[in-house]
Amino acid sequence: MSSRRAWLVAMLGVATLSGCGKPPPEPPPAPPPLSKQGLSLSSWKAASPDLHDRLLLAHAVAKGDTEAMVMVATEIGKTAEVAAAIAALGGDIQTRFDEVGYLRARLALDRFAEVGALPNVLMAHLDGGGAHGLYENDRDLVRYPLTETPPTIDRPSPDLTDTLLGADVGSLSSSLAIEIESLLTAAASGENKVMARDDDGGRFPGGGLDLFALIANRAFEVHSTPLLFAAGAFGRFESVTGASSGRRVISVGEFANERIPEVASLGPSADGGAKPDLLAPGGFAHAASETDALIAAARAAILPADARHIAWALRMSARRVEGLQAHEQGFGVIDPARALELLKQLRDRKLDLPDIQTRAPVKTYLSRFLPEPGVGQGLYEREGWLVRQKDTRKITLLRQSGAATPLVYSLQWQGNDGTFKTTDAEVSLPFNEAVDVPVEIAASAAGVHSAHLYLIDKASGLPVHALMTTIVAAEPFTASNNYRVEQREQSLPGAAAKRYFLDVPPNISSLRLEAGVGAGQMQVMLTGGALDLPPSKVIASKQPAMLLVPYPPPGVYEVTVLPTNAGAKEVRVTASIRYVDSQLDEKPSANNGNTIWLNNIYAPLQRSEVIAEVGARRSLKDVGGPSGMRAYNVSVEPGSTTLRVAASPPDGRTRIGLYLYDCVTGTCKLWGSEVFTRPVNKTLVVPTPRAGLWRVVVDATAPGTAFEYTQIVTHPRFGSGTVAGENTERRTGARWNQKVSFQVSAAPPFGHDLVGLMDVIDPISESDERAAPFNDWRATGDARNQPLRPLRLTTQVMRLDVRGTPSGS
């Protein structure tokens, strides 16, 4: 008999013997679901605008679609009213789950925005797959990224899956709606004591604040069924799946041994939630089996066995693993025997388990897109912390059930390395009244610092609630380190992951990552911001590799080093950043020539080089259409050297989205987009674009919103450029001027003007990358990782006079 079940068999055996052959007494009725206990059900408004929906709308505009499925979360009890309102908009209601406030409808895309504005609607999301989805019968767009992709990585491949912030919805026959509705059907059936799922689920930002997580939470609250979801298998910081990030969901990571959770994703959730909740040998399937047995044992012992008590007991009884931080293990390894004992203590001490909600600051590159920007279910600050920095934050607690009089709880830290401190030893929580708890934070070392803060009932001594606090103290790029961060390790034991965090500033042209190992092998991975990069690189002894990331979005980036079983020695990881500032001479250009003033801001350049080209530019002013979007066709001639598109708001503040599609083969494929970056001016550059039709979609976010659009196609037939000056080394802070001139050889097409373009490139870095590439996209067939070269450190555009050239022609 398995020792994992010995506790259950022994307990049931004792119960039978003590009854002397009599049938066991009937267990007490389970507490009513949370929805019947006077608690408000999970409810939150979606972020506006929802970037995932804007991406799907851009796809629809590019393809010419006119309708799609819409998933809607309503206020509880208002589903019928919302369904009638959607029907009045011409929508065809497909599915309804009134008890949890969910419905799905087939609707014309130009009415989609009206659904989100209806009274009693919390969020309305487009469904990207399945029958009547945006990608029906379209294998080029059926698998799509949950996030926008950076503008500088060539992506002619139709398979745009596995982006940083989430996996694709699935295949032609699957959709988020199918995942949600199968979950609700199973929960409503009452056939399962425990529901376990391995879905990725969820949408951007995957932090338990999207429609999937909202409905999963409500399934728990309404049907009182424990939900155990797989945490995922990404193995990097903040990579718990959206499906398992909900407050009520138990997120389970796979546990390998006492030191390393071999496959588990690491927390916290994107909104700071204490995820994963548990680790389990064999992952979520094993945890579900143990939970099912726990419920049977609790019922046999006449103990609370409803979903809320079982979830509390599993979390509070988990066995912590020495050497792992809170974000790595959650509450610890599942221990059903201890959970059963905790339920007994709860009964014996007559503790009325409170339901406590946490609101805490969240500061990440994407936290501005949370429904309540910058606020989540745990304290999580990935941005803004440096070593030896000190500050104070406030966590807000709200007790939503229990006695009408205030209840006092002790505050205790678990897994705290000294980074966090509460000034008070206890907190008094009145009923349904928010209370702030100050937390002092001091980062003594670089890296992740995480801990759990427990609330202990003073009368019973039992823990009733816990939340996670997490900060990341990143390594900055500064003048003192010459904008270069280097990490060295003499020896790393096998499978012992080492993580470094880099604070990448905004408005840089490239991030250069180099890695090498003197002996052994190691796997290196770079993640952060909104990147979609090669997932990893295995680096062998004396075979270094280099990765150039063009125009990386700002934020804290994670470099993960994982040695193979034999370990690694003489490990070296180096990162540096580059950007060249440029300005045109204030004097007007003469004979299509000008002087450009340049300044190397960050790391030294071994050599700078200038490229000068002539292109045809089309510029116009426009406004957003019925969906807030406009589409433009671009015809690219054979032999064109670049395609450049840009969009910006005239007020310099309005958010603009830019999407570019390769439609050369007759089916439009997303090449790239720029939405996440903070600058309002969005630009995409395609090197050596394929000849034929390209399509640009500009998202002004609302009908009638003004924007300016520009496209430039460079081609030798329009003319050529001449560069005067040396291609030489440029130290940090170096200033120099560059004279460029252009000769025009053809008139521009109708509606266009001619412009000269000057680009500064970094040829040495590109040569180093070719010699030791981080990823061989030719061998893997993953064209997403094909380098965009040449990498432009700065660009200037000058209008040309077609009547004159430097030679007078």
Side-chain angles (χ1 to χ4, degrees), residues 35-119:
S35 57
K36 306 297 183 183
Q37 295 181 24
L39 297 182
S40 57
L41 299 189
S42 296
S43 176
W44 54 75
K45 278 281 188 182
S48 180
D50 179 89
L51 296 188
H52 190 284
D53 281 328
R54 305 310 295 179
L55 173 66
L56 298 185
L57 281 172
H59 286 345
V61 170
K63 294 172 53 197
D65 284 339
T66 59
E67 64 176 18
M69 287 294 185
V70 179
M71 304 169 293
V72 182
T74 74
E75 296 283 1
I76 290 294
K78 301 295 184 180
T79 311
E81 296 177 22
V82 172
I86 293 175
L89 295 176
D92 180 14
I93 306 300
Q94 306 282 308
T95 307
R96 276 176 54 180
F97 287 84
D98 288 2
E99 66 275 20
V100 295
Y102 168 86
L103 61 85
R104 176 169 54 91
R106 184 179 179 183
L107 185 72
L109 278 170
D110 60 4
R111 310 303 297 269
F112 169 64
E114 298 176 61
V115 174
L118 289 173

Side-chain angles (χ1 to χ4, degrees), residues 559-600:
V559 181
T560 303
V561 177
L562 182 63
T564 56
N565 292 334
K569 295 182 179 180
E570 299 176 21
V571 172
R572 176 182 56 83
V573 176
T574 305
S576 54
I577 57 175
R578 286 164 177 77
Y579 170 69
V580 173
D581 187 29
S582 63
Q583 293 182 345
L584 284 171
D585 197 319
E586 294 182 358
K587 297 179 181 179
S589 62
N591 296 324
N592 289 335
N594 208 329
T595 299
I596 299 174
W597 302 93
L598 302 167
N599 181 11
N600 184 39

Side-chain angles (χ1 to χ4, degrees), residues 479 482-483 507-510 576-583 596-609 728-737 760-762 765 791-794:
N482 216 18
Y483 304 101
N507 303 321
I508 68 172
S509 299
S510 72
S576 54
I577 57 175
R578 286 164 177 77
Y579 170 69
V580 173
D581 187 29
S582 63
Q583 293 182 345
I596 299 174
W597 302 93
L598 302 167
N599 181 11
N600 184 39
I601 302 296
Y602 294 123
L605 295 173
Q606 290 180 267
R607 182 162 61 91
S608 66
E609 192 170 299
T728 186
E729 179 182 0
R730 307 292 182 184
R731 60 174 176 78
T732 299
R735 298 174 182 268
W736 74 102
N737 61 66
V760 176
I761 65 171
D762 181 8
S765 289
L791 192 160
R792 294 161 175 82
L793 300 182
T794 192

Side-chain angles (χ1 to χ4, degrees), residues 458-785:
K458 296 195 71 173
S460 66
L462 295 177
V464 297
H465 180 69
L467 59 100
M468 188 183 289
T469 58
T470 310
I471 68 162
V472 178
E475 297 281 357
F477 295 94
T478 64
S480 60
N481 62 23
N482 216 18
Y483 304 101
R484 185 174 184 268
V485 174
E486 184 174 33
Q487 302 288 351
R488 291 181 179 269
E489 306 288 344
Q490 285 297 317
S491 179
L492 289 178
K498 189 74 176 181
R499 293 180 169 87
Y500 311 108
F501 293 88
L502 309 172
D503 186 15
V504 175
N507 303 321
I508 68 172
S509 299
S510 72
L511 170 65
R512 172 174 168 151
L513 177 70
E514 303 167 78
V517 58
Q521 286 187 334
M522 63 183 185
Q523 190 174 19
V524 180
M525 177 168 56
L526 173 68
T527 54
L531 291 181
D532 180 15
L533 292 171
S536 63
K537 169 70 174 181
V538 175
I539 298 176
S541 173
K542 304 187 188 308
Q543 295 180 5
M546 198 191 96
L547 174 66
L548 279 180
V549 183
Y551 315 120
V556 171
Y557 288 61
E558 175 187 355
V559 181
T560 303
V561 177
L562 182 63
T564 56
N565 292 334
K569 295 182 179 180
E570 299 176 21
V571 172
R572 176 182 56 83
V573 176
T574 305
S576 54
I577 57 175
R578 286 164 177 77
Y579 170 69
V580 173
D581 187 29
S582 63
Q583 293 182 345
L584 284 171
D585 197 319
E586 294 182 358
K587 297 179 181 179
S589 62
N591 296 324
N592 289 335
N594 208 329
T595 299
I596 299 174
W597 302 93
L598 302 167
N599 181 11
N600 184 39
I601 302 296
Y602 294 123
L605 295 173
Q606 290 180 267
R607 182 162 61 91
S608 66
E609 192 170 299
V610 176
I611 298 176
E613 299 178 288
V614 177
R617 177 177 65 183
R618 177 192 180 198
S619 300
L620 55 86
K621 297 180 179 180
D622 207 341
V623 297
S627 62
M629 299 197 174
R630 289 291 186 192
Y632 306 96
N633 293 338
V634 183
S635 180
V636 176
E637 299 181 42
S640 296
T641 53
T642 64
L643 165 63
R644 310 174 190 225
V645 296
S648 61
D651 62 5
R653 295 188 302 272
T654 304
R655 189 191 70 82
I656 293 289
L658 184 64
Y659 304 87
L660 180 61
Y661 295 84
D662 179 349
C663 304
V664 171
T665 62
T667 301
C668 290
K669 305 170 184 178
L670 180 66
W671 181 88
S673 61
E674 188 171 359
V675 178
F676 278 125
T677 51
R678 294 185 188 275
V680 293
N681 299 320
K682 309 297 184 183
T683 303
L684 295 169
V685 181
V686 185
T688 58
R690 297 198 295 173
L693 177 65
W694 291 68
R695 185 163 291 154
V696 181
V697 177
V698 177
D699 180 10
T701 71
T705 300
F707 63 88
E708 298 173 356
Y709 167 74
T710 303
Q711 69 185 46
I712 301 173
V713 178
T714 58
H715 196 290
R717 80 174 184 87
F718 296 128
S720 60
T722 302
V723 178
E726 296 183 357
N727 296 328
T728 186
E729 179 182 0
R730 307 292 182 184
R731 60 174 176 78
T732 299
R735 298 174 182 268
W736 74 102
N737 61 66
Q738 191 78 56
K739 293 183 178 180
V740 294
S741 58
F742 300 91
Q743 291 192 348
V744 174
S745 57
F750 178 77
H752 295 66
D753 64 344
L754 289 186
V755 292
L757 294 103
M758 188 254 5
D759 297 303
V760 176
I761 65 171
D762 181 8
I764 300 300
S765 289
E766 294 175 14
S767 176
D768 292 344
E769 184 185 48
R770 286 192 297 270
F774 189 85
N775 188 65
D776 187 354
W777 64 270
R778 296 177 181 83
T780 62
D782 186 356
R784 291 178 296 165
N785 303 324

Side-chain angles (χ1 to χ4, degrees), residues 183 186 192-199 225-230 250 252 283-289:
L183 170 71
N192 304 299
K193 287 187 292 184
V194 178
M195 291 181 57
R197 298 174 68 91
D198 194 18
D199 304 316
T225 303
L227 304 178
L228 277 72
F229 288 175
I250 299 175
V252 182
F284 80 103
H286 172 78
S289 176

Side-chain angles (χ1 to χ4, degrees), residues 278-536:
L278 304 171
L279 299 181
F284 80 103
H286 172 78
S289 176
E290 295 281 29
T291 302
D292 191 78
L294 173 63
I295 293 173
R299 289 176 177 174
I302 319 179
L303 299 173
D306 63 298
R308 188 160 72 99
H309 284 87
I310 292 297
W312 166 81
L314 287 172
R315 291 185 177 110
M316 298 298 113
S317 65
R319 175 173 50 83
R320 298 188 67 86
V321 180
E322 292 297 324
L324 294 183
Q325 292 198 63
H327 73 281
E328 296 174 297
Q329 64 176 306
F331 293 96
V333 180
I334 186 172
D335 192 330
R338 293 175 65 181
L340 188 66
E341 177 59 31
L342 203 58
L343 289 170
K344 290 179 182 178
Q345 294 181 41
L346 183 81
R347 178 196 62 189
D348 297 343
R349 300 178 189 183
K350 297 181 174 58
L351 174 63
D352 182 12
L353 185 64
D355 194 69
I356 298 174
Q357 185 182 48
T358 301
R359 292 178 69 258
V362 178
K363 186 178 180 181
T364 71
Y365 180 66
L366 301 173
S367 59
R368 65 190 187 278
F369 297 123
L370 295 174
E372 185 177 359
V375 177
Q377 57 177 328
L379 190 158
Y380 174 33
E381 297 196 1
R382 182 174 177 135
E383 315 289 332
W385 285 94
L386 299 174
V387 177
R388 291 182 294 278
Q389 180 179 341
K390 297 181 179 180
D391 213 333
T392 301
R393 299 291 185 265
K394 288 183 179 180
I395 293 171
T396 302
L397 300 173
L398 179 67
R399 181 170 63 86
Q400 297 178 294
S401 69
T405 56
L407 298 179
V408 179
Y409 301 100
S410 300
L411 297 175
Q412 293 185 14
W413 289 99
Q414 285 284 345
N416 187 10
D417 64 0
T419 300
F420 307 99
K421 179 183 177 181
T422 46
T423 54
D424 299 324
E426 59 185 35
V427 61
S428 176
L429 298 184
F431 174 70
N432 214 28
E433 183 178 325
V435 175
D436 290 337
V437 176
V439 177
E440 297 178 356
I441 305 173
S444 60
V448 184
H449 303 272
S450 63
H452 282 111
L453 178 60
Y454 282 78
L455 274 67
I456 310 297
D457 178 67
K458 296 195 71 173
S460 66
L462 295 177
V464 297
H465 180 69
L467 59 100
M468 188 183 289
T469 58
T470 310
I471 68 162
V472 178
E475 297 281 357
F477 295 94
T478 64
S480 60
N481 62 23
N482 216 18
Y483 304 101
R484 185 174 184 268
V485 174
E486 184 174 33
Q487 302 288 351
R488 291 181 179 269
E489 306 288 344
Q490 285 297 317
S491 179
L492 289 178
K498 189 74 176 181
R499 293 180 169 87
Y500 311 108
F501 293 88
L502 309 172
D503 186 15
V504 175
N507 303 321
I508 68 172
S509 299
S510 72
L511 170 65
R512 172 174 168 151
L513 177 70
E514 303 167 78
V517 58
Q521 286 187 334
M522 63 183 185
Q523 190 174 19
V524 180
M525 177 168 56
L526 173 68
T527 54
L531 291 181
D532 180 15
L533 292 171
S536 63

